[in-house]
Structures are given as C-alpha cells and as structure tokens.
Amino acid sequence: QVGALSVQKARAPRQSPEPHAMAPTIRGLAIASLVACTLGGEAGPGGCPSGSERFWALDKPNSECAEACLSTEVQRVEFWILTGGQGVKAGSESSPCADHGFHKFNRTDVLGAGRLKLSLDKYFSDELSESPPTPAKDKCALACTLESIGVYWACAAVCIEKLAPDSCITSGCLAAVTAFDVSCLKGCNKTSQAPAGVPVLV
C-alpha cells in the first residue's frame, strides 16, 4: 500500500498557481516594462538622443547639407570649423536639411574619435540629378578651408595628448583656426577670387 500511495503521489498532476498568486508577478513585469520604456531612449530636441541637440549646415557649392546631433562644446566647435562656420542649431526643426530642399539621404560620415567623434548625415539637394555634386568653383577659398581643418586637427591632437581641458580645443584651437583662415582668405582677395561661400568639406 505504501508503494501504491507513492505511485499515486508521483502521478498526481501538478496544480497550477492560483490566479491571485500570479497577479503580483504579472503586475510587476508590466510595471518594469513601463519603467524601462519611460527611462530608456528618450529623444531630445530635433529627434536627437537625450542630452544632445541637432545642428545643420548648408553646402550650396557642392549641393549638399549636413546634420549632426551634438552634445558637447567640443563637438559644436568642431562642427562649426568643419562646416566653414556655416553650422547652426536646428532649433525646433527635426529635419532642417529636408526643410531647406535636401531630402535625398546620401551617407553618414564618421569623423574623429573619443571627444572629437562626430557623425554627420549628408543629404543631396532635391534639384540634383543622379550625377555627383559639382566641385566648388572658388578653389582658393576651398583650399583655405581644407588647410584650416588641418590646423584644427593638429591643434586638437596636441590638446588631447597633453590631457588638456576642453577649453584648449574650444578656445585655443578655435582661435588658431580663425587666425589662419583670416590670413588665408586675405590672400584669396589679393588674387581677385572673392570667396562666394565656404562649403561643408566633410
């Protein structure tokens, strides 16, 4: 009989938990999911990640437009330099390039690393055909901007190597680039090539 009782107990089906016992578990999972959705991936201004803002710049000579989500002063200064001083905050615009006639997405350029890392989304003008953008006509101004970007990268590299504060880049490198650019563009004026607008070169 003891053996028979043991077999019956072994064969007895497991009882499902009572609904009231499961309720707290389901409720807890639901609350946890809601908390995760609320806390994670919250968008900031212009559809950028929380803590960053969207900036943009037109490059009319090359029929391109660039957008970037920037969160630090170093990134904002770098964007301003790389876009030849054309970079501005998008404000309430979530798609500034599209709003200015640049709907066709082309590519994303990732530049620099660490504090200097930038991701630029590039768009073509709606008026552009399938052929690539035509190069900028003002070769002198183009050359100045290219060289000023080189000045910036060299200066920023020294700041990072020395573990200097961000002001080394945001103030020191910006001043160095501005001084170089002013001098270089004066040389363009002497050759009767007045800059018609500095393009986005990145």
Side-chain angles (χ1 to χ4, degrees):
Q1 291 181 350
V2 174
L5 288 173
S6 299
V7 171
Q8 289 178 358
K9 289 181 179 180
R11 291 178 179 176
R14 296 182 63 183
Q15 296 295 323
S16 299
E18 293 295 328
H20 64 80
M22 295 177 63
T25 303
I26 296 174
R27 194 179 302 119
L29 289 173
I31 292 173
S33 298
L34 288 173
V35 170
C37 291
T38 302
L39 297 179
E42 190 171 319
C48 289
S50 181
S52 63
E53 294 180 289
R54 185 173 297 279
F55 281 69
W56 72 287
L58 281 179
D59 177 16
K60 291 182 179 179
N62 289 321
S63 297
E64 283 189 333
C65 182
E67 293 185 14
C69 292
L70 311 178
S71 59
T72 68
E73 185 63 22
V74 169
Q75 289 180 324
R76 287 188 282 271
V77 168
E78 183 176 342
F79 185 73
W80 187 87
I81 291 172
L82 294 178
T83 59
Q86 304 299 305
V88 294
K89 190 184 298 185
S92 60
E93 292 181 288
S94 59
S95 303
C97 285
D99 292 343
H100 290 79
F102 292 78
H103 288 86
K104 186 179 179 181
F105 175 76
N106 179 29
R107 67 191 185 278
T108 297
D109 293 339
V110 180
L111 307 170
R115 285 188 292 169
L116 302 177
K117 185 176 181 179
L118 285 182
S119 295
L120 304 181
D121 293 334
K122 309 298 283 293
Y123 297 84
F124 281 159
S125 170
D126 297 347
E127 299 177 357
L128 185 68
S129 64
E130 294 300 322
S131 58
T134 55
K137 294 180 180 180
D138 191 347
K139 295 181 180 180
C140 184
L142 181 63
C144 286
T145 307
L146 280 171
E147 291 183 41
S148 67
I149 290 174
V151 170
Y152 168 75
W153 286 122
C155 178
V158 172
C159 291
I160 291 174
E161 184 180 0
K162 292 183 176 180
L163 302 178
D166 287 352
S167 58
C168 179
I169 297 174
T170 59
S171 297
C173 294
L174 181 58
V177 169
T178 301
F180 173 84
D181 218 21
V182 168
S183 175
C184 187
L185 291 175
K186 283 182 179 179
C188 290
N189 292 332
K190 291 180 181 179
T191 59
S192 301
Q193 287 186 315
V198 183
V200 178
L201 298 171
V202 292

